[in-house]
Amino acid sequence: MIRFIYVLFVFITASFTLQGQGLSSNEMAIKGTVREQQTLRPISGVEVTTDKGQFTITNALGEFTVKASRGDIIVFRSPDFETVRHTIQSDDDIAVEVQDYSPGGQSKRGFDMAKEHQKYLDSAEYYKQRDIEKSIDFISKSLALLGKQQHKTQLSKSLTLLGEVYLYYEQYDLAITNLKDAQKARKTIKTSLLLAKAYLANRDYETVQQVLTPLLSRKKMVPYQKIQLLELLGDADQGLGYLNKALNRYKSGLQVAEKNQVTPKVIDLNSKIADAYAQADRTIEAEGYYNNSLVLSERLAPQRAIQENEKVADFYNRSNRFQEEIQLRKKSLNQIREIPENAVASQGTVPVSDSITSQRINYKIGNAFVAQSKFDEAIPYLEKSIVEADRENDLVVQKDATRRLSEAYKYKGDFNLAFLNYQAYVALVDSLYLRKEQELSRLSRLNRDITNKQTRIVTLEQERELSQSKYSLALTEQELIGERNKRQKWLIYSLGFGMLLLALTAFLFYRSNKKQQLANDLLALKSLRTQMNPHFIFNALNSVNNYIAKNDERSANRYLSDFSVLMRSVLENSEEDFIPFSKEMELLRLYLKLEHSRFEDKFSYDLKVGEEVTVDDFKIPPMLIQPYVENAIWHGLRYKSEKGYLKVLMQQPDKEHLNITIIDNGIGRKRSKELKTRHQKKQRSKGMGNIEKRIGILNSMYKDKVMVAITDLEEDGTGTKVTLTLKKN
């Protein structure tokens, strides 16, 4: 930054020197006018530039003065006529006469530009749900078409559509940034509603209310937008826990929708009112509104009816009304056979976790029968779900249905089929794990491409802002031209303003890079949090398999139950940077319980929280301690000939710090490294590599929040002591 300021100082000093010497021998002050050909009426506001970078605009009399040399090209630009170019041959005045000039109206060039701009936006809209990269490319072309002119309406349209594309593909931060820029160019109701949707997706409910509340006083609003406004405010109230306020918003929107016969929104709002009542455990009211949505959805497309059937069936499932759930889902199956295949599945490339498909409905029916212990009725539906999921390459449903089928056979007492299906389930888990890794890699590449395209768009906007600043400077120069002293004063002021502008530009670039770095760090954290050491997962599944092979059903059930709780906790916490310390302790206790049940003869453990520790005051990155505990068990205690011990101690030396100490009397790091095979030496512990990356990113983002120290426990190199220090804020 100091070097940047020094360069600016040198630039300003050189400018003053050149100003004192006057124009160089090669430069001339070229004067001229721009007029309409028929009436000779002067045209003001025309951009006059040279290929050497000189810039000015015509004044109210159509006159201009610009510095140029012989051979330079002067370009005359205006949205109201075709661009004109002229090569300087002498210092004679230039007279430019424009044909078919329409002051205050839109010229043919301006009309063609607007038409071309709309074509790009139409193409981007077409590819919005099909190919995000093509859609963004067309929007970039629409922005480039605007050039340096301030076509605020077209600029707002382009940025609004860009925000809409990012919103569709769940890139909420980018959507918010571009929609806010669109509002700066031209504030519209559509842009405000889309911005509120983006904040709602980010669960920033208070900001949603700040964006939408001013729209409540708008009188001229089409009914559909009014319905959307009330619906979004209701969603924000429900997110904040204000169920009564949310119900009032939804019901107000429902009245507008019914009055204007907006049937899709009538169904949506009936369904959302039912959801709110169900959340408040008011099942009678919820069922009444669900019935309304079911009846109304029958009048629309079959896809909409199926979606509403499944939503109400889920409500019946939560209420343990399995017969009604099964009846409704069977109705969905009949309806889904009458429409084209996959027509009810979500369109586009956005991943959907619970798409409405035949295989998923069959799985849910089988699940409902299992919940009633009707295993003979459940098995055909589960088997059909597996076959359909295999045909559609739906590994998630195939895995869930196979697991449930294994449980159904086990409950029936047919352990051979239960075991065979469980083996198939384990294989599906492996396949699904590999697919998830591929999806993460593909998403990472897509995010990089999106980031590059967004950077290009930001650059276009920055060029536009610089052009506008240049335009403003030229206006000031027109007012001061002809007076040398005033021109020198203007030069001082303009250079000062230019310095501030350059400094501001540097700051904006710096802030943009910081934001991008933060976005990359958050994406990396999210990717790392979704990973868990596959060795532990596979070994845990092998332990269950071993219990099953020994016919130790009780131990297998108990171990599998604890393992599923652990995996659920890991998945639930994977979206968070920090979780309450108490949750991390519960997860650690469960993990130690599982490992101790497998290596009971290898170690005993003690998990102790000091009395001085204020558990509720601290938050901790999820799965921070587990990799170090796992390392102690697998590389220290497992190779010990006699039974060892593992101690995890939580202490609070002061109000701002939490110390976590992990002690084992295993064989030590040096001996463990010697025992590794050649293949193991080439590989690095995925869990430890993961945690080192996470700690590095967290410390970069939160200024050294986590510190780790690893030492030998004894002087002879045996045993290991790991100390983690966590800052409170």
Side-chain angles (χ1 to χ4, degrees):
M1 197 65 185
I2 295 174
R3 183 180 178 184
F4 174 72
I5 295 173
Y6 173 74
V7 171
L8 282 177
F9 176 76
V10 172
F11 171 72
I12 292 171
T13 305
S15 299
F16 287 154
T17 303
L18 289 174
Q19 178 64 28
Q21 292 175 350
L23 297 174
S24 66
S25 58
N26 294 327
E27 284 187 335
M28 302 175 290
I30 304 297
K31 297 181 180 181
T33 58
V34 180
R35 300 176 182 273
E36 184 183 358
Q37 186 180 53
Q38 287 79 8
T39 63
L40 297 180
R41 182 168 48 187
I43 303 176
S44 62
V46 177
E47 289 186 7
V48 183
T49 60
T50 70
D51 55 356
K52 297 292 180 62
Q54 295 294 329
F55 177 86
T56 187
I57 62 171
T58 57
N59 59 17
L61 299 176
E63 300 171 343
F64 68 89
T65 301
V66 67
K67 299 171 186 176
S69 303
R70 285 183 175 84
D72 289 354
I73 298 175
I74 299 182
V75 182
F76 302 87
R77 290 189 179 93
S78 172
D80 299 317
F81 58 78
E82 294 285 346
T83 299
V84 177
R85 289 176 171 81
H86 175 78
T87 303
I88 301 297
Q89 302 295 339
S90 65
D91 59 353
D92 295 338
D93 291 353
I94 299 173
V96 178
E97 295 183 352
V98 178
Q99 294 180 345
D100 301 325
Y101 174 69
S102 178
Q106 188 178 44
S107 67
K108 182 178 183 300
R109 177 175 177 271
F111 177 78
D112 291 342
M113 185 278 295
K115 188 176 179 181
E116 188 73 14
H117 178 268
Q118 189 59 46
K119 284 173 59 179
Y120 283 135
L121 293 189
D122 291 341
S123 299
E125 182 72 34
Y126 175 80
Y127 284 107
K128 183 178 76 173
Q129 299 183 16
R130 294 171 172 83
D131 190 327
I132 182 175
E133 294 185 73
K134 284 187 177 180
S135 184
I136 295 176
D137 280 338
F138 279 114
I139 295 172
S140 299
K141 290 177 181 178
S142 75
L143 288 169
L145 185 66
L146 300 179
K148 298 179 180 180
Q149 297 296 326
Q150 296 300 304
H151 302 286
K152 292 188 177 181
T153 300
Q154 285 84 357
L155 175 62
S156 178
K157 285 183 178 180
S158 295
L159 294 176
T160 298
L161 182 56
L162 182 59
E164 198 171 351
V165 170
Y166 283 137
L167 183 60
Y168 182 81
Y169 287 92
E170 300 179 0
Q171 302 289 325
Y172 302 126
D173 291 336
L174 290 174
I176 289 170
T177 299
N178 285 281
L179 289 169
K180 288 170 71 175
D181 289 341
Q183 281 194 318
K184 292 178 182 177
R186 184 170 178 265
K187 198 167 186 178
T188 64
I189 295 174
K190 177 183 178 181
T191 307
S192 297
L193 292 173
L194 288 171
L195 182 60
K197 283 184 181 180
Y199 280 122
L200 187 67
N202 257 356
R203 298 182 181 180
D204 190 352
Y205 305 117
E206 293 180 351
T207 307
V208 172
Q209 293 180 328
Q210 293 174 6
V211 172
L212 295 181
T213 300
L215 296 181
L216 290 171
S217 58
R218 293 283 291 270
K219 295 181 179 180
K220 293 183 179 180
M221 187 181 299
V222 297
Y224 193 85
Q225 289 178 333
K226 184 71 173 180
I227 297 166
Q228 281 186 307
L229 170 63
L230 293 169
E231 183 181 3
L232 288 169
L233 285 170
D235 292 341
D237 287 330
Q238 189 170 5
L240 291 169
Y242 306 140
L243 290 181
N244 289 331
K245 290 180 66 176
L247 283 168
N248 290 334
R249 299 282 195 194
Y250 291 146
K251 289 178 180 178
S252 297
L254 181 59
Q255 289 177 356
V256 179
E258 289 175 340
K259 180 180 178 181
N260 294 276
Q261 298 181 349
V262 187
T263 305
K265 280 300 176 185
V266 173
I267 299 172
D268 291 342
L269 289 166
N270 269 288
S271 188
K272 288 196 173 184
I273 292 171
D275 290 340
Y277 277 128
Q279 186 176 342
D281 292 328
R282 296 168 64 177
T283 55
I284 296 176
E285 293 95 329
E287 187 169 1
Y289 280 97
Y290 277 134
N291 288 334
N292 290 342
S293 65
L294 282 175
V295 172
L296 291 169
S297 65
E298 293 291 341
R299 304 173 187 172
L300 297 182
Q303 294 92 327
R304 187 66 180 87
I306 293 170
Q307 291 171 359
E308 202 59 33
N309 286 347
E310 288 302 293
K311 187 172 184 181
V312 178
D314 291 338
F315 167 71
Y316 287 147
N317 178 272
R318 293 191 297 271
S319 304
N320 295 328
R321 296 162 62 178
F322 300 115
Q323 289 301 326
E324 294 169 275
E325 175 196 357
I326 292 170
Q327 183 179 359
L328 202 53
R329 294 199 195 279
K330 286 182 178 179
K331 183 179 179 182
S332 296
L333 281 178
N334 292 330
Q335 291 174 325
I336 210 170
R337 295 189 190 101
E338 298 174 0
I339 59 179
E341 188 176 1
N342 294 331
V344 293
S346 296
Q347 300 297 320
T349 58
V350 178
V352 178
S353 61
D354 195 18
S355 301
I356 300 174
T357 58
S358 178
Q359 62 265 25
R360 185 170 291 278
I361 296 174
N362 276 303
Y363 164 68
K364 289 185 175 181
I365 293 174
N367 221 15
F369 277 124
V370 170
Q372 301 173 81
S373 299
K374 296 180 179 180
F375 307 116
D376 291 329
E377 291 90 337
I379 288 172
Y381 284 99
L382 293 173
E383 289 176 339
K384 188 173 182 180
S385 174
I386 293 170
V387 172
E388 291 177 343
D390 182 56
R391 184 175 65 246
E392 299 296 333
N393 199 23
D394 189 348
L395 286 182
V396 175
V397 173
Q398 190 177 3
K399 169 186 70 70
D400 293 339
T402 304
R403 177 180 58 81
R404 184 60 76 184
L405 183 61
S406 174
E407 293 173 355
Y409 279 123
K410 184 183 70 173
Y411 294 144
K412 281 188 63 180
D414 194 341
F415 296 107
N416 288 330
L417 285 176
F419 179 68
L420 289 174
N421 279 281
Y422 188 80
Q423 286 182 317
Y425 163 71
V426 172
L428 286 168
V429 169
D430 294 344
S431 300
L432 190 59
Y433 179 80
L434 292 174
R435 176 179 288 185
K436 290 296 182 184
E437 283 192 334
Q438 293 170 355
E439 289 178 356
L440 283 173
S441 176
R442 186 167 60 254
L443 285 173
S444 178
R445 289 196 301 271
L446 179 61
N447 283 334
R448 285 198 301 269
D449 293 339
I450 291 173
T451 300
N452 292 335
K453 293 179 185 300
Q454 177 63 21
T455 302
R456 191 172 68 203
I457 290 171
V458 170
T459 302
L460 285 173
E461 288 308 300
Q462 289 170 343
E463 289 178 355
R464 197 187 313 280
E465 291 174 5
L466 289 173
S467 175
Q468 183 63 20
S469 299
K470 194 174 183 181
Y471 182 83
S472 300
L473 289 174
L475 284 175
T476 305
E477 182 181 10
Q478 287 296 320
E479 296 174 359
L480 302 176
I481 193 168
E483 301 180 16
R484 185 178 183 84
N485 293 333
K486 291 182 179 180
R487 185 167 56 189
Q488 288 178 344
K489 290 181 180 179
W490 173 87
L491 182 62
I492 294 172
Y493 296 145
S494 63
L495 285 175
F497 178 77
M499 180 177 177
L500 291 175
L501 182 63
L502 289 173
L504 177 61
T505 304
F507 171 74
L508 290 175
F509 274 109
Y510 172 78
R511 187 174 67 175
S512 176
N513 290 334
K514 292 294 288 184
K515 285 183 178 179
Q516 188 58 51
Q517 181 182 355
L518 177 61
N520 291 338
D521 287 343
L522 290 173
L523 183 62
L525 275 179
K526 185 174 182 180
S527 175
L528 291 170
R529 284 197 303 266
T530 57
Q531 301 177 26
M532 186 175 177
N533 195 327
H535 298 298
F536 169 68
I537 298 174
F538 296 145
N539 289 329
L541 292 174
N542 286 334
S543 296
V544 177
N545 193 20
N546 186 41
Y547 286 131
I548 294 173
K550 292 179 180 179
N551 290 325
D552 190 355
E553 182 180 347
R554 179 175 297 177
S555 298
N557 284 338
R558 184 172 61 252
Y559 192 97
L560 187 58
S561 176
D562 291 340
F563 176 72
S564 65
V565 172
L566 176 62
M567 292 303 297
R568 188 180 299 110
S569 299
V570 171
L571 291 174
E572 288 175 352
N573 296 334
S574 65
E575 293 295 325
E576 304 295 334
D577 289 341
F578 294 90
I579 62 174
F581 180 66
S582 57
K583 278 191 177 182
E584 179 74 0
M585 292 302 299
E586 291 173 5
L587 189 148
L588 186 60
R589 285 193 180 94
L590 188 55
Y591 172 77
L592 283 168
K593 180 181 176 182
L594 289 172
E595 293 287 44
H596 186 255
S597 66
R598 296 171 59 201
F599 303 112
E600 190 173 4
D601 59 333
K602 285 295 184 180
F603 73 98
S604 59
Y605 71 93
D606 183 20
L607 180 61
K608 185 177 180 182
V609 180
E611 295 179 356
E612 77 280 6
V613 177
T614 53
V615 175
D616 295 333
D617 289 349
F618 284 89
K619 288 191 174 184
I620 187 169
M623 295 294 289
L624 178 69
I625 309 173
Q626 183 268 342
Y628 294 105
V629 174
E630 181 183 7
N631 218 41
I633 296 171
W634 279 80
H635 301 292
L637 297 169
R638 190 162 63 101
Y639 296 110
K640 191 175 177 66
S641 57
E642 65 273 15
K643 189 172 184 178
Y645 72 87
L646 174 65
K647 185 175 182 180
V648 182
L649 179 62
M650 316 293 175
Q651 295 174 309
Q652 187 176 346
D654 54 58
K655 292 182 179 180
E656 297 300 321
H657 293 84
L658 175 68
N659 287 344
I660 304 167
T661 306
I662 305 164
I663 300 173
D664 71 87
N665 66 340
I667 61 174
R669 293 178 294 167
K670 182 178 180 181
R671 179 60 178 157
S672 175
K673 187 175 181 181
E674 293 173 353
L675 291 176
K676 284 186 177 180
T677 65
R678 181 181 301 176
H679 175 71
Q680 289 173 331
K681 288 180 179 179
K682 292 181 180 179
Q683 302 294 325
R684 191 175 183 187
S685 169
K686 189 169 184 178
M688 295 306 296
N690 184 312
I691 202 66
E692 288 175 7
K693 292 177 183 177
R694 288 178 60 200
I695 289 175
I697 294 173
L698 287 168
N699 284 339
S700 174
M701 294 171 62
Y702 298 103
K703 306 300 181 185
D704 299 325
K705 184 176 179 65
V706 182
M707 291 179 287
V708 182
I710 304 176
T711 59
D712 293 330
L713 183 63
E714 304 294 344
E715 293 183 358
D716 60 358
T718 61
T720 305
K721 179 180 179 182
V722 179
T723 303
L724 294 94
T725 302
L726 185 71
K727 289 184 180 179
K728 183 176 182 180
N729 296 317

